[in-house]
Amino acid sequence: MRRLLALLLVAVLGLTACGGDPLSGGGSESDPNVIAMGSGNFTESQLVAEIYSQALQGAGVQVEEPVAIGSREAYFPALQDGSVDLIPDYSGALLQYLDESAQQRRSAEVYAALQKVLPPELVAGAMSPAQDKDAVMVTRETADRLRLRSLDDLTPHCKDIVFGGSPEFQTRPDGIPALRENYDCAFKSYRSLDAGGVLTVTALVDGDVQAADLFTTDPAVAQNGLVVLEDPKENFAAQNIVPVMVKRKATPQVTGVLDRVSAKLTTEELLAVNTEAAGPDKPALRTVAADWLARNGLAGNAP
């Protein structure tokens, strides 16, 4: 309970890597026989964490219920100090978080580089084929009016465009600074919204922003007819989902379960569970995760 309260405090306070860390030293209280799950504070991350959690429980591993902590700037320090033991993350974004100078862009290269820069107390499980990449998106009307297919096409219009995205995207290595460097794109202004969520989608659809950072597996992309601008200069690296965990909890049993989940988790499957979670009935994420595990023969996954 103390750990849960501390993690909720992180989410409320928006802990950053450069700020004070109220979780420091929390790992000493961690039960060596229990996996404490964490996630980002958006649906897809919470869904994958729930899939990990149920798969591990089905194999007889004790797991604390997943806690949605916040952005990477909040949950990664919690992982490092042992307040949580396991988090689903994205290979390219995590690599650039740990090494802002990283130049790798393709899946295998990104994963190999990530393994080299992870702190020694952490380990990455097998990456899944599933990718959810950041992408700059516009409405169909904007794409047609400005004849936009790629980020190169956007460059002449950047000075007239209000861009929307998460607060972190404004300073992340592959965010606004990289778009300026790679595409000579300096936007008229930046509106700080959420991480690929309803605020950003609504602002884009309503015309409050004319371009935005959204995620490629978001059902809202197809539902709203949004256009993903091509990225010929590979501003956005590969973003394969990968479990990251504290090394002392990465037993053969735990890593075996996670590897089996990763092998089944494709981009199409990721989009499917996101679409199911966003459906009109709004099923519980726990239910969506259980259904996915059953469909993929991973329910009750005891070795």
Side-chain angles (χ1 to χ4, degrees):
M1 179 60 71
R2 288 182 62 192
R3 171 159 53 196
L4 175 60
L5 291 173
L7 290 172
L8 292 175
L9 179 62
V10 173
V12 172
L13 296 178
L15 175 67
T16 63
C18 60
D21 183 2
L23 299 178
S24 180
S28 63
E29 299 178 7
S30 178
D31 187 329
N33 299 311
V34 178
I35 300 291
M37 285 289 314
S39 76
N41 60 345
F42 56 98
T43 299
E44 183 174 280
S45 182
Q46 293 170 260
L47 252 176
V48 177
E50 188 64 53
I51 287 171
Y52 289 169
S53 175
Q54 290 188 34
L56 288 167
Q57 290 179 64
V61 178
Q62 288 184 274
V63 182
E64 289 185 1
E65 288 302 309
V67 176
I69 300 171
S71 69
R72 184 171 295 102
E73 287 78 4
Y75 67 65
F76 198 78
L79 186 62
Q80 285 182 282
D81 72 24
S83 298
V84 292
D85 301 314
L86 173 61
I87 293 242
D89 214 327
Y90 300 85
S91 58
L94 181 55
L95 172 61
Q96 291 192 317
Y97 173 80
L98 295 170
D99 179 9
E100 293 188 1
S101 65
Q103 298 299 313
Q104 293 83 1
R105 289 292 180 267
R106 298 179 181 175
S107 292
E109 297 169 349
V110 167
Y111 182 68
L114 175 61
Q115 290 178 305
K116 292 177 181 177
V117 299
L118 273 176
E121 69 273 15
L122 302 180
V123 63
M127 70 175 180
S128 72
Q131 288 198 60
D132 182 3
K133 298 185 72 171
D134 288 80
V136 175
M137 302 191 195
V138 297
T139 62
R140 170 57 63 187
E141 185 278 330
T142 298
D144 291 343
R145 177 170 54 85
L146 300 180
R147 299 182 179 180
L148 304 178
R149 291 184 59 190
S150 75
L151 287 169
D152 279 328
D153 300 329
L154 187 66
T155 297
H157 306 285
C158 291
K159 66 183 185 302
D160 302 315
I161 285 177
V162 178
F163 192 93
S166 69
E168 297 82 13
F169 189 80
Q170 194 167 7
T171 56
R172 280 181 173 167
D174 63 345
I176 294 300
L179 291 174
R180 185 181 299 114
E181 179 179 349
N182 292 328
Y183 290 100
D184 193 25
C185 193
F187 294 106
K188 178 181 178 180
S189 62
Y190 188 92
R191 179 164 294 187
S192 184
L193 298 164
D194 57 10
V198 64
L199 294 179
T200 303
V201 172
T202 301
L204 184 59
V205 171
D206 290 349
D208 296 328
V209 300
Q210 291 77 54
D213 172 52
L214 292 169
F215 303 133
T216 54
T217 58
D218 188 341
V221 176
Q223 291 167 356
N224 292 280
L226 302 179
V227 175
V228 179
L229 297 184
E230 297 173 8
D231 179 21
K233 297 176 182 174
E234 296 184 318
N235 183 82
F236 298 109
Q239 301 291 357
N240 298 83
I241 291 182
V242 58
V244 183
M245 68 196 99
V246 296
K247 189 174 291 185
R248 59 190 169 82
K249 298 289 183 80
T251 66
Q253 181 187 22
V254 169
T255 56
V257 172
L258 295 175
D259 288 353
R260 288 191 285 276
V261 169
S262 291
K264 296 281 190 177
L265 191 60
T266 64
T267 300
E268 292 73 22
E269 292 284 343
L270 191 59
L271 180 57
V273 293
N274 282 335
T275 301
E276 184 180 349
D281 296 332
K282 297 288 183 185
L285 298 187
R286 184 171 184 81
T287 301
V288 176
D291 290 346
W292 184 86
L293 288 165
R295 287 197 306 271
N296 286 275
L298 295 170
N301 191 23

